[in-house]
Amino acid sequence: MTSPRYDVIAIGNAIVDVMAPASDELVEELGLTRGGMQLVDEAQAADLYSAMGPAKEISGGSAANTLAGLSAMGAQCAFVGQVADDQLGNVFAHDIRAVGIDFDTPSREGEPSTARCLIFVTPDGQRTMNTFLGASQFLPAEALDEEAIGGAQILYLEGYLWDPEEPRRAMRAAIETARGAGRKVAFTLSDAFVISRHGDDFRALIDDGLIDILFCNEVELAALTGEESFDDGIAALQDKVSVLVATRSEKGATCVTGGTRSDVAAEPIDKVVDTTGAGDLFAAGFLYGHVRGEDPAKCLKRGAVAAAEIISHYGARPEADLKALMAEKVG
């Protein structure tokens, strides 16, 4: 097998995040599920944007956020995702390339416009997300660069993008390409609502041995396994994937690989400002260690450090020097 060109190549939603602080009262008034994520159409997105206060716009999307963290730590990464040929599409492409990530997916002509996620951040740092998927749900299999996918140590897939039919086909094709090249496939479950729609697909992928590394949080773990107990959920999955990683917010995170369980505490932080991207950056820290052959405990520690950095400020892209932070706190 040839040496990998990339540490990680990811397929995910190409989204521009629009974030604004909001009161709990506003979230309730708008009829939103606090701390949740819902899909909205373009008209709803416009209405919610009108209700927002002053906002900050930055390229986002779960898998793209993970790559941004990985790139900041020094990993070589590439992203596959669909934007429209419009202003937000140009913003997304510029931002992701500016942080050192290869992005060569051609822009899509015509409607719909580039995806955006309207995020209301309440005073406790909780984020309520409202996503218009736009052009991102029309990623065709033809847009895949099979050479790049086969030349990446890990193919990382975002569960959110499993919802639309066209990118679902693209991701199935990418899994086949990666496994044919002897590469690992990592999958993040993304959200319980995605599992409610596509849990059978995810369970089939896992049962068929197509997922090597599975990321989830404790809510997603329960939704996928049907087990209310965290430990029972871990037990139900740990023998079905080579590496299982489950996060528990302030309760830390767990990894099971080869029958061995490792746990890490959450990193202490003065104040939680915005939890947007916490799971994405945890995955970044973990994967950075994993592709370098570090033991699970150290990979978990990297994930915890990256997640703590991201929740200390607005936005899902790191602001601190992650290389320096890792050297200080992980070694």
Side-chain angles (χ1 to χ4, degrees):
M1 186 186 301
T2 59
S3 298
R5 174 184 175 188
Y6 296 112
D7 294 306
V8 180
I9 187 168
I11 302 177
N13 282 310
I15 297 176
V16 176
D17 288 338
V18 183
M19 293 165 290
S23 65
D24 291 316
E25 291 77 16
L26 177 61
V27 171
E28 183 177 353
E29 178 185 326
L30 293 171
L32 306 178
T33 301
R34 187 178 179 281
M37 200 288 277
Q38 68 169 344
L39 298 178
V40 297
D41 60 26
E42 196 153 11
Q44 290 172 305
D47 290 341
L48 290 170
Y49 184 68
S50 297
M52 286 182 127
K56 177 180 180 180
E57 297 181 0
I58 188 170
S59 295
S62 176
N65 292 337
T66 296
L67 291 189
L70 277 160
S71 182
M73 286 178 257
Q76 297 298 309
C77 302
F79 179 72
V80 181
Q82 189 67 66
V83 297
D85 185 15
D86 57 17
Q87 182 178 358
L88 285 182
N90 292 336
V91 167
F92 181 91
H94 173 272
D95 281 1
I96 199 164
R97 291 169 182 152
V99 296
I101 299 167
D102 286 354
F103 174 57
D104 299 316
T105 310
S107 299
R108 186 175 187 272
E109 299 291 337
E111 297 295 330
S113 58
T114 295
R116 71 213 65 154
C117 183
L118 306 170
I119 305 171
F120 294 81
V121 185
T122 46
D124 63 350
Q126 189 63 264
R127 81 282 187 268
T128 299
M129 301 187 294
N130 306 273
T131 304
F132 167 60
L133 288 172
S136 69
Q137 62 189 323
F138 295 100
L139 174 72
E142 294 75 31
L144 300 179
D145 183 337
E146 292 188 358
E147 184 177 352
I149 292 169
Q153 190 170 342
I154 292 176
L155 168 68
Y156 181 74
L157 302 174
E158 175 187 328
Y160 282 131
L161 196 57
W162 200 263
D163 203 51
E165 182 178 350
E166 196 165 7
R168 192 186 318 141
R169 289 199 302 269
M171 287 195 286
R172 286 191 182 278
I175 290 171
E176 184 176 339
T177 297
R179 299 198 70 82
R183 305 305 188 183
K184 293 181 179 179
V185 177
F187 195 95
T188 176
L189 292 175
S190 293
D191 197 285
F193 99 90
V194 182
I195 298 168
S196 70
R197 293 166 64 91
H198 302 289
D200 287 345
D201 273 359
F202 298 162
R203 285 182 280 268
L205 289 172
I206 292 166
D207 290 344
D208 290 344
L210 298 178
I211 305 300
D212 300 291
I213 306 169
L214 183 67
F215 290 95
C216 60
N217 62 31
E218 58 183 335
V219 174
E220 295 154 6
L221 180 67
L224 187 71
T225 64
E227 301 287 352
E228 292 186 12
S229 160
F230 180 78
D231 289 337
D232 288 346
I234 291 290
L237 278 181
Q238 66 180 37
D239 296 328
K240 295 184 177 183
V241 293
S242 297
V243 181
L244 173 62
V245 182
T247 58
R248 307 182 75 187
S249 300
E250 72 280 359
K251 292 176 282 187
T254 295
C255 172
V256 181
T257 180
T260 300
R261 174 169 170 164
S262 303
D263 297 279
V264 69
E267 283 291 298
I269 184 173
D270 292 336
K271 182 183 179 182
V272 176
V273 176
D274 174 17
T275 57
T276 307
D280 303 336
L281 268 293
F282 190 98
F286 186 93
L287 288 171
Y288 181 82
H290 184 79
V291 296
R292 279 153 183 76
E294 294 177 354
D295 63 80
K298 193 169 185 179
C299 295
L300 286 171
K301 177 70 171 179
R302 289 191 186 280
V305 169
E309 191 283 333
I310 218 67
I311 65 176
S312 68
H313 57 78
Y314 282 114
R317 299 290 172 89
E319 293 183 355
D321 183 336
L322 285 188
K323 284 185 181 179
L325 199 59
M326 293 295 165
E328 174 190 347
K329 293 184 175 292
V330 184

